[in-house]
Amino acid sequence: MTETAARSIDGLKDIPYPSATSGSEYVSGWRVSVTLLTLFLVSSISQVDRILPFIMAEAIKLDLSLSDTEVGLLTGVPFAVCYTLLSLPLARAADRGSPRFVLVACILAWSAMTAFGGMAASFLMLAFTRFGVAAGEAGAFPAGHAIIARKIRPERRGMAIGLFAMGMPMGAMMGFAAGGAVADTLGWRVALIGAGAIGGLIALFALVVIGPMAPLRQAASGESFLRSSARLLAAPAFRWLFVGAIAVGFASAPFYAFAGPFLIRVHGFTASEAGLAFGLLQGLMGIFGTLIGGRMFDRAVQSGTGRVLGPPAILFLIASVTTTAALFAPAGWVSVALLVPGMLSFAFMLPWAFGAGHLVAGRGNEAQATSLMMVGSGLLGPALGPLMVGMISDAATGAQIPNGLALGLLTVPVASVLTAIAMLIANQRIAASFARR
């Protein structure tokens, strides 16, 4: 499938698109590897900076005399709202201007705020720096995907998106391991300042490696990013992708928030045992899922049928069954093993969902498509999903129903089924548009 053909998918041909380039920006040889390494480092350090307060929460709470509510505010709903909503204008800037400039500016912004967080003397100052981290990170993924679309040839983009996404589980593993070790030996402030300094170095590396990128020429439409987002969401294929992203958020957020407490409460795991079992498997599944998912997506696109979402939909259906079984398994090790398909499904989905979104949106709108998918998965699910699980668990416990947390966590397989349905409908829509061409 050519990039020009992708512009007409599912009725989006009326959107004003930038002029296609001749492909002269595509990199080749060792530059491909260096570009992807750079984006992997960006994704990794963004995840490290985001999750450091989780592993260091007790030390921060003690040092600044914070309440649990204040700790929750540092990493909860306000962070999610700031991160997801700011991604839209930053994605627009990456699509219409220089994604390299947007990416480097965002890295410098969140790295500086991470370092300033290590100097915070109060809750308000630390909260301000976390909002700054969210604002900076909001543009990283959209700009990174825009760079991939401009620098990496179409037949390798699924793998490129997978490598970029692989930085998330790698960053989480490094953040929990290195962040905890540094915090225990040198203190949480040194950990934040050190992470900010590393981010600054990566920003300079990205500035040199990626190289100048001229803005794409576009038709003079004067259309705002909100209106263009509405037009994209009006396309049936992308609308179902967006619904699937929302469902993923309701599946993944409670899964990661309560899987550890579930193993501790129901199966008697210690915190270290739950963290080791769940954290290690989640990291490995994240690496495996993003890489294999990216490669399989490339093959699906090259088939020319337009059926580019079937495998992740099937995996989510399988995960819904195994996750349900895990919640009522008699032994802890059986429960952990049955949670693995769920871990894999979330990582495997990333290159498929983003790649399909890019196909539907067309050239010059990749960052905006990524941003909208991030809004779908990162706003409602993380804000409401864990709350729903907690309310169901509390109600079941109050009614003296055993294993109340497992009942609450049934929202995860339900959301997984809804994700699969949305992906299958989007898959049918995209395939139908291919058949009409």
Side-chain angles (χ1 to χ4, degrees):
M1 189 198 73
T2 65
E3 290 188 56
T4 303
R7 300 180 191 180
S8 62
I9 285 181
D10 216 11
L12 283 176
K13 57 181 178 296
D14 294 328
I15 291 181
Y17 286 94
S19 301
T21 68
S22 63
S24 59
E25 283 191 288
Y26 294 153
V27 294
S28 59
W30 63 271
R31 293 185 180 275
V32 174
S33 299
V34 175
T35 299
L36 294 179
L37 172 63
T38 303
L39 293 176
F40 168 77
L41 292 175
V42 170
S43 179
S44 298
I45 194 62
S46 72
Q47 195 70 13
V48 169
D49 289 354
R50 188 186 309 182
I51 59 91
L52 275 179
F54 287 99
I55 192 64
M56 303 185 302
E58 287 301 309
I60 294 173
K61 178 182 176 182
L62 181 63
D63 191 7
L64 298 182
S65 301
L66 305 182
S67 66
D68 285 335
T69 300
E70 288 173 324
V71 172
L73 284 173
L74 292 175
T75 54
V77 176
F79 188 98
V81 171
C82 182
Y83 179 81
T84 53
L85 296 185
L86 279 178
S87 69
L88 283 171
L90 289 172
R92 178 73 165 189
D95 277 335
R96 299 299 183 253
S98 169
R100 173 213 191 199
F101 175 79
V102 173
L103 181 67
V104 172
C106 286
I107 301 170
L108 290 174
W110 92 60
S111 297
M113 285 298 180
T114 298
F116 285 141
M119 308 173 193
S122 66
F123 165 75
L124 288 178
M125 183 177 177
L126 185 58
F128 173 76
T129 64
R130 295 312 296 173
F131 281 127
V133 172
E137 292 190 0
F141 250 72
H145 283 176
I147 290 170
I148 289 172
R150 299 266 291 274
K151 294 285 188 180
I152 306 300
R153 295 185 181 280
E155 63 270 16
R156 303 181 68 176
R157 286 198 191 141
M159 191 65 175
I161 293 172
L163 286 168
F164 187 32
M166 190 178 72
M168 291 191 290
M170 286 295 293
M173 290 172 60
M174 290 187 294
F176 278 114
V182 173
D184 285 343
T185 56
L186 301 175
W188 67 271
R189 295 182 183 276
V190 173
L192 288 177
I193 293 172
I198 293 172
L201 294 176
I202 291 176
L204 296 177
F205 185 65
L207 182 68
V208 173
V209 169
I210 296 173
M213 300 179 69
L216 290 174
R217 296 189 304 275
Q218 68 176 68
S221 65
E223 191 174 48
S224 68
F225 72 87
L226 290 176
R227 178 166 294 186
S228 62
S229 296
R231 289 177 66 111
L232 185 55
L233 288 170
F238 194 88
R239 186 164 61 245
W240 281 107
L241 281 171
F242 186 74
V243 171
I246 294 174
V248 167
F250 276 96
S252 61
F255 183 87
Y256 289 120
F258 286 103
F262 169 79
L263 293 174
I264 294 170
R265 194 178 307 177
V266 176
H267 293 292
F269 280 47
T270 65
S272 59
E273 289 172 341
L276 179 62
F278 190 78
L280 180 60
L281 285 172
Q282 187 273 331
L284 292 175
M285 289 303 101
I287 295 169
F288 178 76
T290 51
L291 290 179
I292 299 301
R295 183 57 182 152
M296 289 182 65
F297 176 78
D298 283 337
R299 291 181 178 177
V301 171
Q302 291 166 19
S303 72
T305 64
R307 299 189 180 279
V308 294
L309 290 169
I314 293 172
L315 182 55
F316 267 97
L317 289 175
I318 294 172
S320 68
V321 175
T322 60
T323 301
T324 301
L327 297 176
F328 301 98
W333 68 268
V334 176
S335 182
V336 170
L338 289 170
L339 290 174
V340 169
M343 303 176 197
L344 178 62
S345 66
F346 299 132
F348 186 75
M349 177 72 159
L350 291 172
W352 294 86
F354 286 126
H358 295 175
L359 284 178
V360 175
R363 183 171 177 80
N365 293 273
E366 294 90 353
Q368 189 168 15
T370 294
S371 175
L372 287 170
M373 298 292 284
M374 288 167 54
V375 169
S377 63
L379 188 56
L380 293 178
L384 301 179
L387 177 63
M388 291 171 55
V389 172
M391 292 175 64
I392 295 171
S393 177
D394 288 341
T397 302
Q400 297 185 335
I401 299 175
N403 205 359
L405 183 54
L407 294 179
L409 280 170
L410 284 174
T411 59
V412 173
V414 170
S416 295
V417 171
L418 294 177
T419 300
I421 293 172
M423 291 299 104
L424 288 173
I425 296 175
N427 188 51
Q428 184 180 33
R429 295 282 189 176
I430 296 174
S433 70
F434 270 64
R436 290 194 298 267
R437 291 189 284 105

